[in-house]
């Protein structure tokens, strides 16, 4: 049995995480009106960067993180995660994840969502995005003290398998706080017989961020050493929230106004 006691946050840390989470969520709301056919992902990066720094008075955590060159991740179509903003312009029918992590007062808030670009997004793409979001919500609903962390990954992978989708195993959710990715605190989005049990405790903060693929779960990293794409070049979708374990269940620290979970 693994223990996560050392990652439990005190009330001061939790209050700061709450603010960081709300600020990260506000970036996803702010950027919505700019996500349009013809806009480059670099432009979206610049708008988010300036908002995070100038309006929110936060630090964009991805910038220079282990050498990542931009302030946000933009992952389009077959890109699973860690897409680097560039000159590429959005096309009608693209699906794109924008992943935002801000640092407020030393604490991180990490959240991402899918955007449907233009009016020609196929029913197949729409369904993938919806099922990926539903899988995140099912994972979140597993969270409460005393529950095994494994229940999250099991709920996610059992659900998406019903649609013949796969859940990526190469990347995980993570403990989060003063650290962007807390070491040795991984949240798997799949089930495996050999995963050790880890019991959730009140005061833990971590992300759940399933990456769901139409085809194989296998990924390949491009020569830029960041961009992860599906091995078969089929579509992938991801949604992410930062979660706090409460006495009775969970609080979604990055929940957006009007978002029903
Ligand atoms: N925000 C991503 C996550 O959910 C991590 C991005 S790391 C970066 O964990 F360097 F690519 F920004
Ligand atoms: Co994350
Ligand atoms: Co993220």
């Amino acid at each position: 049995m693994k223990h996560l006691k050392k990652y439990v946050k005190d009330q001061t840390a939790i209050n700061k995480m709450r603010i960081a989470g709300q600020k990260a969520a506000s970036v996803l709301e702010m950027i919505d009106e700019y996500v349009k056919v013809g806009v480059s992902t670099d432009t979206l990066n610049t708008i988010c960067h300036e908002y995070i720094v100038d309006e929110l008075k936060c630090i964009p955590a991805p910038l220079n993180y282990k050498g990542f060159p931009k302030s946000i991740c933009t992952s389009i179509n077959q890109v699973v995660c860690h897409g680097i903003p560039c000159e590429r312009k959005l096309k009608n029918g693209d699906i794109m994840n924008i992943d935002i992590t801000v640092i407020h007062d030393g604490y991180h808030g990490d959240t991402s969502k899918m955007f449907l670009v233009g009016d020609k997004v196929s029913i197949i793409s729409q369904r993938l995005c919806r099922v990926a979001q539903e899988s995140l919500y099912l994972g979140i609903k597993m969270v409460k003290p005393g529950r095994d962390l494994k229940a999250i990954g099991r709920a996610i992978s059992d659900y998406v398998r019903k649609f013949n989708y796969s859940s990526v195993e190469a990347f995980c959710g993570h403990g989060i706080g003063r650290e962007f990715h807390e070491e040795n605190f991984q949240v798997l989005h799949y089930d495996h017989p050999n995963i050790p049990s880890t019991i959730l405790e009140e005061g833990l903060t971590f992300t759940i961020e399933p990456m769901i693929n139409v085809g194989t779960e296998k990924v390949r990293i491009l020569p830029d050493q960041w961009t992860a794409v599906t091995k078969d070049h089929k579509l992938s979708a991801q949604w992410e929230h930062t979660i706090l374990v409460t006495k009775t269940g969970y609080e979604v620290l990055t929940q957006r106004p009007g978002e029903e979970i």
Side-chain angles (χ1 to χ4, degrees):
M1 172 101 73
K2 272 186 64 182
H3 283 284
L4 297 172
K5 276 223 174 342
K6 68 168 170 172
Y7 302 104
V8 168
K9 309 293 183 293
D10 64 18
Q11 203 53 53
T12 310
I14 288 169
N15 286 334
K16 291 180 179 183
M17 291 287 293
R18 233 180 231 127
I19 298 169
Q22 285 307 299
K23 291 191 179 223
S26 79
V27 182
L28 288 177
E29 294 223 301
M30 177 282 300
I31 201 63
D32 186 73
E33 65 174 295
Y34 300 99
V35 177
K36 285 203 176 103
V37 176
V39 70
S40 74
T41 51
D42 228 352
T43 298
L44 297 175
N45 177 73
T46 301
I47 296 168
C48 288
H49 178 93
E50 287 174 358
Y51 184 78
I52 291 165
V53 172
D54 299 337
E55 302 287 326
L56 300 180
K57 314 289 181 203
C58 288
I59 299 165
L63 186 60
N64 301 321
Y65 176 77
K66 298 185 176 174
F68 192 79
K70 300 282 174 170
S71 298
I72 65 172
C73 297
T74 49
S75 303
I76 302 176
N77 297 337
Q78 76 280 5
V79 179
V80 172
C81 62
H82 302 166
I84 303 173
C86 65
E87 289 312 305
R88 187 213 193 270
K89 291 182 165 70
L90 299 181
K91 299 186 189 102
N92 203 343
D94 282 341
I95 58 170
M96 172 179 57
N97 175 281
I98 299 183
D99 193 335
I100 302 291
T101 312
V102 304
I103 309 172
H104 161 79
D105 209 355
Y107 285 86
H108 291 74
D110 188 7
T111 184
S112 79
K113 63 169 289 217
M114 296 302 295
F115 292 85
L116 311 181
V117 181
D119 56 4
K120 288 189 176 140
V121 176
S122 71
I123 297 294
I124 289 173
S125 299
Q126 289 182 37
R127 190 175 77 142
L128 173 67
C129 294
R130 177 175 52 79
V131 170
Q133 184 178 25
E134 289 164 352
S135 81
L136 167 61
Y137 292 167
L138 288 171
I140 290 172
K141 285 175 180 157
M142 290 297 121
V143 175
K144 68 174 187 181
R147 211 25 93 63
D148 195 321
L149 194 58
K150 280 194 293 194
I152 297 170
R154 188 175 304 135
I156 290 167
S157 56
D158 283 356
Y159 182 64
V160 303
R161 200 171 309 116
K162 293 186 184 132
F163 299 84
N164 267 321
Y165 296 153
S166 63
S167 181
V168 170
E169 300 188 9
F171 301 99
C172 308
H174 47 94
I176 184 169
R178 281 195 178 279
E179 307 284 326
F180 193 166
H181 298 100
E182 288 177 335
E183 220 180 329
N184 298 318
F185 182 176
Q186 294 194 325
V187 181
L188 307 187
H189 306 115
Y190 58 95
D191 196 13
H192 195 276
N194 299 336
I195 298 171
S197 285
T198 308
I199 302 306
L200 290 176
E201 290 182 48
E202 185 182 355
L204 290 171
T205 49
F206 57 87
T207 73
I208 307 177
E209 47 183 299
M211 287 138 277
I212 306 303
N213 296 355
V214 164
T216 178
E217 67 86 15
K218 296 281 184 242
V219 309
R220 188 168 71 81
I221 309 294
L222 296 187
D224 64 24
Q225 296 188 49
W226 280 105
T227 311
V229 298
T230 54
K231 258 208 162 130
D232 56 12
H233 293 104
K234 292 186 180 171
L235 293 173
S236 184
Q238 180 180 29
W239 297 74
E240 174 176 27
H241 273 311
T242 300
I243 311 296
L244 164 71
V245 185
T246 63
K247 193 179 284 300
T248 53
Y250 59 86
E251 180 178 329
V252 181
L253 299 178
T254 47
Q255 190 164 357
R256 296 177 295 280
E259 180 186 10
E260 278 174 44
I261 292 176

